[in-house]
């Protein structure tokens, strides 16, 4: 694996590296960690990389790596830059024959997303979009139970993602994260809705297997002086007639990162929240709520495959993230060997999820600014 | 106290009686418990009431009781009938000099609500609307902390009221509660939104001290054949610029009755849910969440007054309900003695809250059926 | 009902009155509320009692009440004085034909307990000891499930009762509760072990249906200057071979009153804690934990009978307490009518539980002071 | 790093490898994974190791690795075999100049433990014993707060470790874990007390900074036919006069692995449990409980150093495990560079903890079989 981005001060780059390391299936062999050659070197050295595999730019990396022999050359690239720097390196990677792991939201705007989709499809290469929360074993268990129609027809979806870290105006200060995530030139047309709303949206569609067809959004800039939305709520309609509510905010002072989903069908419901990530509550009309737990003998094959330890040994955010990397790597290894990958392995978010996420951003901003109640998705 | 309604099969009538009994300040002395004289007698006898104080109709009750001497005559009436039978007895009570405790929602429609408000104001008598959840000590603590501006300016309000008991079509069967609550002729123009949405709405305004100014509602009839909405979500705007989301549903299969509120200001937030009613979470931007608990030495005077036991002795729904009765009784006793009631005593929901609740119903139905995003409140 | 004790400053007297009031089956008609005639009058007046039914002493109360006609005379007496004032009025009540409700621990010492047992048995009158926690619906559900052998043979019992309110030396100050509960002349030979250890002990035996046969106790006076133990832990052996641990402390700074029990059998376990009193966790070897909830349709007849509201309307400490009063009253009414009381009604703690509790105190103190590991119970 | 043990079917070997991989500071370069050369090869190949670094025995590994040049040779060995195979390879490693990471309990018996301690001390090499739970950031926070005397003098310690997986007789079947952990020849004189009791014991001493001085143990073989204890409870006395209770069981049917500790001092208490590992409750006599959370800005330097992500991104068991490896690696790197390691780095369990753990096992078995209440530690 090679990495683009993830230099000094980056949060998500370090997370990607831990996730890739965790299961011993992936080795970081090269990187272009910063637009500053200096900083790229510094990071490469801290990561114990040989100097000749630390590049000054991603363009250089692709060119040089391409020339390396099989087995030495990186197999895929992981791109962990801010949103405005996703599209160009991702496209270039694909055009040079490298598989791609990309951080979300997929691109700067929907137009780039559509172009990238075209490139991915044309290339026939593997593409993974790291919607972390879809990697949790109990999210996979929820999806499987719903797919098996244990809850009956789905009627209602509540998904929420409350954060509080942008409650104050942190832009332009030392907080690099706050600065680029609120910057229209780097993040695109949405703030909170792009950063975390897309996670919530992906989770709603992934868990239910449904597609959103109409939305009605209220989005707000709460902190004075901010360029982009830091708060919003969206009413949802799904393709089976179900309705839903999506809430995402970065000004819920005192909240950390507790993304949560509840889904209700004719016979019962499920509830999951990241704060208690190893637990899935399954609720029934006329009998006790059941507490499904990761790592136990009674969960389905998707949850099982995505756990490393027995019940009661909590796995968290980094393991969820690592699940995407592991599944991507297992799929890639199978492909390289000419084997059929297992159903559980290919279950990582891809280009379609990426395009839908970008459409979500566009439609939310459209609805937020309009006077009509419903906007078709 | 006299009671109107609360005959065989009634749920809320029994709750009102327990609430009134609890603190030994109120004695049930008479009643007209059913439109059937037979059933009224049956209930009166089960309640150990003397036969001559069990009436065949509320009209008879008011006429007879009026003639009784001071001290023997009931002081106030508690009306616990379905919505369409609130207005007439309430008005008649007031016109005959009896103070009134009334179940929510206040009336059948907004027109009745306005007329009742006029009658209450003209009469100068005491009026209490039993929005149960406003009686919880930790809801009062939340209100006090927000009033004292500990959270700074309020920015965001989430209130939700999920129930699952109407997930199936129960109308017309043995379930008397299901039948009248989904019947347009008894409940009015709204189902879930009237039954529980009004509670959520009241809680949002009560806790924050703010007023809703605009709404955008999505309301649904989920169960086939049902007359009235059994589900909905409402985007809210408040008079200080804050925004909010209200969710109320009766088809969240597996949910019981876990009304919950979260409010966020510039500096922190609060969270309360009925399932853990003796706890108020107070969250801060830069220090640990605090767990405020009912019955402790450190809560404010409103919470203190509305608890009966020390910390760790859970009080619940019936005690919250009883708090309204106790505060009503203490205020009434003070008035009868010519004393000034304490600030904590007069803190029970009244006619204004009732009118706003009925307007909420009207506006939600209007918004739910319209194409414009925002409807002024 | 008449009351002995419960004058100004008493905590438990007020609780008993609320519990008795709650269900409208019991009326407080007289009392001797304090050893001071003055204070007794004051309390009687605050309780709206007629002056001639407020007595100067319990002896006077029994004599006068006995002479009143049937239907007017109190049927039973509730005794809520400190421990050293339990035996004499209870015996006198029984000898004068009054049924008795008595607060725990039953008497000052085991000798009094045995004498009282003899008196109760001889009298043929009803006797209820208010071990509050046995009144919770989900404790009754736990007992029923264990009785029905759903968990298989019981192997392990953990019961704990942590409080923190005696972490400091409060004796002799304004805190009347702290003063008598730590006073050897009023409480007997044990402090925490008598006050709350007996509750934990009763819960262990009540829920499991087992009897303790051997104990090994470590009891401590943690706060300097205190006369009686304020902390302890006891290893337990039961008559079926199961083992257990009982922990009770009043110096766990920051704890409120969260009595908790866990029981494990061959097939599964149960867990209940007062802080979440409406929930019973039922755990299984090979399938998800189930959350049983009070007020639902699927709980057994004991839990059902001891709830007043549907699931999701939390009932708490006062309702648990009231369940004992209600069951006592229903049993008494049946008896007065010559009916057979239901199994659920006679399910309140009585004289046997009282004697066992006093033996627990004696044995714990013996074991705490000895060098042998096990003391036969 | 080289590894001894961790072949097919091993649980803890895989955990060690993930923990070592996670932070990119440690590379697995060789191993002797099984006493069967065949299985060792199989595992080595699955781990992408070159064939010449997969050894047939640990003796061979030490001999061959010693001859490799600096930088290529493994720096330390991780030993993850069953208890009876700890001592010999650990001693041989040290005698050949390799630092050691060793799974717990440290050795087969106390005698071996003392000998190993001598060897470690003589060698001057680094030694880490993987008491996983001491690696959690909020355990480190608890330790730091107690060390800073925020709770005042410690009075009471409750530590518990309930598991249910040995509720049935699994010995001799396919469950390799069950077989060796209940085998006196492989585990030593204790079962549950050695396997998980030592973790609980270590946690009690680590968090409080106190030392146990006396114990009173009840240990049991609950499942018929089992060779070693599967359940026990221990009363504890500490060197500052505090008392405590330790509970460890593997027959609490339905329990997973929820190790939990509560400590109380004069002014407050702390509570932590693995099930909610990122939270530390800090309780106070007269103000709200505080919820300290991992990854936040307000925790101390030990908690901070041992987290990888911001608050609300749950880290779990594998990260706690990885913290020991990371701290060991950072200390080793500092030592190799001749730098002074930071206080936070050298904070991993070592030889002293190992010896105390083995003494705990010996004393618990002695007390469990004796008639005297207290056994000096």
């Amino acid at each position: 694996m090679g990495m683009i981005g993830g230099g000094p001060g980056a949060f998500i780059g370090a997370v990607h590296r831990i996730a890739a390391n965790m299961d011993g299936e992936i080795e970081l062999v090269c990187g272009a960690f910063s637009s500053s050659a200096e900083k790229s070197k510094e990071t490469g050295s801290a990561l114990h990389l040989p100097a000749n595999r630390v590049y000054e730019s991603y363009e250089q990396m692709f060119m040089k790596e391409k020339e390396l022999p099989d087995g030495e050359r990186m197999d895929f690239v992981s791109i962990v830059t801010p949103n405005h720097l996703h599209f160009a390196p991702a496209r270039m990677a694909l055009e040079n024959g490298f598989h791609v792991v990309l951080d979300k939201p997929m691109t700067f705007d929907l137009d780039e997303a559509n172009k990238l989709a075209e490139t991915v499809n044309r290339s026939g290469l593997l593409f993974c979009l790291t919607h972390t929360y879809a990697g949790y074993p109990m999210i996979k268990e929820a999806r499987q139970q719903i797919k098996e129609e244990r809850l009956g027809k789905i009627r209602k979806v509540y998904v929420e993602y409350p954060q509080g870290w942008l409650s104050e105006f942190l832009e332009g200060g030392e907080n690099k994260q706050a600065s680029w995530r609120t910057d229209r030139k780097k993040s695109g047309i949405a703030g909170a809705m792009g950063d975390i709303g897309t996670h919530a949206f992906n989770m709603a569609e992934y868990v239910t297997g449904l597609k959103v067809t109409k939305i009605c959004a209220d989005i707000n800039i709460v902190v004075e002086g901010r360029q982009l939305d830091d708060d919003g709520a969206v009413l949802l309609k799904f393709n089976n007639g179900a309705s839903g509510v999506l809430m995402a905010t970065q000004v819920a002072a005192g909240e950390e990162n507790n993304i949560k989903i509840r889904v209700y069908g004719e016979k019962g419901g499920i509830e999951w929240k990241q704060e208690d990530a190893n637990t899935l509550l399954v609720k029934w009309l006329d009998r006790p709520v059941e507490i499904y737990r990761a790592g136990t003998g009674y969960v389905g094959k998707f949850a099982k495959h995505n756990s490393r330890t027995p019940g009661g040994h909590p796995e968290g955010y980094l393991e969820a993230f690592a699940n995407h990397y592991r599944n991507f790597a297992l799929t890639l290894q199978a492909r390289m060997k000419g084997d059929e990958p297992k159903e559980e392995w290919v279950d990582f978010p891809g280009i379609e999820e990426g395009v839908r996420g970008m459409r979500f951003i566009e439609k939310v901003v459209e609805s937020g600014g309009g006077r009509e109640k419903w906007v078709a998705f």
Side-chain angles (χ1 to χ4, degrees), chain A residues 34-338:
Chain A
S34 171
S35 51
S36 139
E38 190 73 22
K39 286 184 181 166
S40 186
K41 264 182 202 164
E42 188 189 316
T43 300
S45 158
L47 297 170
H48 312 296
L49 283 183
N52 65 328
R53 301 293 285 278
V54 182
Y55 300 99
E56 295 185 5
S57 69
Y58 66 85
E59 293 92 339
Q60 189 196 37
M61 181 163 91
F62 293 135
M63 294 308 109
K64 297 275 190 181
E65 288 288 317
K66 245 172 79 173
E67 293 162 13
L68 294 177
D70 252 33
E72 194 175 332
R73 187 180 59 229
M74 71 170 179
D75 293 314
F76 70 94
V77 67
S78 173
I79 302 172
V80 300
T81 44
N83 309 352
H84 67 306
L85 297 172
H86 283 186
F87 176 64
R91 187 164 62 173
M92 193 176 209
L94 294 161
E95 287 172 346
N96 285 283
F98 296 105
H99 307 277
V100 169
V101 174
L102 181 56
D103 205 65
K104 47 51 59 189
M106 194 162 75
T107 47
F108 187 71
D109 58 27
L110 181 56
D111 185 50
E112 282 186 1
N114 287 325
K115 283 184 193 150
L116 188 60
E118 204 186 356
T119 313
V120 166
N121 293 332
R122 199 164 7 101
S123 73
L125 295 167
L126 292 183
F127 179 86
C128 172
L129 189 76
T130 52
H131 269 306
T132 328
Y133 308 104
Y136 273 109
M138 299 319 279
I139 282 297
K140 301 206 177 278
E141 177 71 15
R143 176 177 161 89
Q144 188 176 355
Q145 292 200 13
I146 288 170
K147 206 169 189 176
E148 290 171 0
E149 302 191 349
R150 296 201 209 166
L151 309 183
K153 193 189 153 197
I154 298 308
R155 292 166 160 184
K156 198 79 202 179
V157 181
Y158 298 121
V159 61
E160 60 185 54
Y161 199 151
Q163 291 184 334
W165 69 291
L166 285 176
S167 291
E168 294 178 327
F169 189 81
L170 304 173
E171 286 88 329
E174 285 179 20
N175 193 322
K176 193 175 154 182
Q177 294 303 317
S179 295
W180 80 257
R181 285 175 203 264
T182 57
D183 181 348
R184 183 179 288 269
K185 296 201 196 97
K186 294 183 174 161
S187 279
I189 57 174
M193 282 294 149
D195 191 16
I196 60 174
T198 48
H199 275 309
F201 172 79
N202 178 256
M203 183 172 281
E205 292 202 341
Y206 179 68
V207 167
T208 62
L210 300 174
K211 298 288 171 202
V212 168
T213 55
K214 284 200 295 186
I215 66 167
C216 168
D218 173 32
I219 61 176
N220 305 292
I221 294 174
V222 171
V223 172
E224 221 183 296
R226 186 154 288 160
Q227 289 179 26
L228 294 171
D229 61 281
D230 46 22
D231 170 79
V234 189
L235 305 175
L236 308 169
K237 296 288 184 186
F238 291 88
N239 57 341
N240 78 333
S243 65
V245 183
L246 180 155
M247 308 185 307
T249 187
Q250 296 180 313
V251 295
E255 294 296 339
E256 295 179 342
N257 197 46
N258 193 17
I259 181 171
K260 174 177 172 182
I261 186 165
R262 288 172 285 178
V263 179
Y264 299 95
E266 293 161 325
K267 302 178 201 161
I270 60 93
E271 177 176 330
W272 178 89
K273 55 183 177 183
Q274 189 180 218
E275 212 176 73
D276 188 14
N278 296 282
T279 294
L280 177 72
L281 298 179
V282 184
K283 307 179 179 195
W284 302 105
L285 260 184
D286 47 9
R287 51 192 173 94
V289 171
E290 292 174 312
I291 306 179
Y292 278 72
R293 296 271 300 162
T296 56
Y298 54 74
V299 295
K301 73 173 177 178
F302 288 88
K304 204 158 285 179
H305 169 68
N306 286 284
S307 290
R308 290 156 189 81
T309 50
H313 298 74
E315 299 190 24
Y317 175 83
L318 295 168
E319 284 80 7
F321 220 115
N323 287 336
H324 290 328
Y325 270 97
R326 187 165 64 131
N327 288 330
F328 181 82
L330 290 171
T331 303
L332 183 53
Q333 286 168 14
R335 184 186 167 119
M336 287 164 82
K337 291 188 212 156

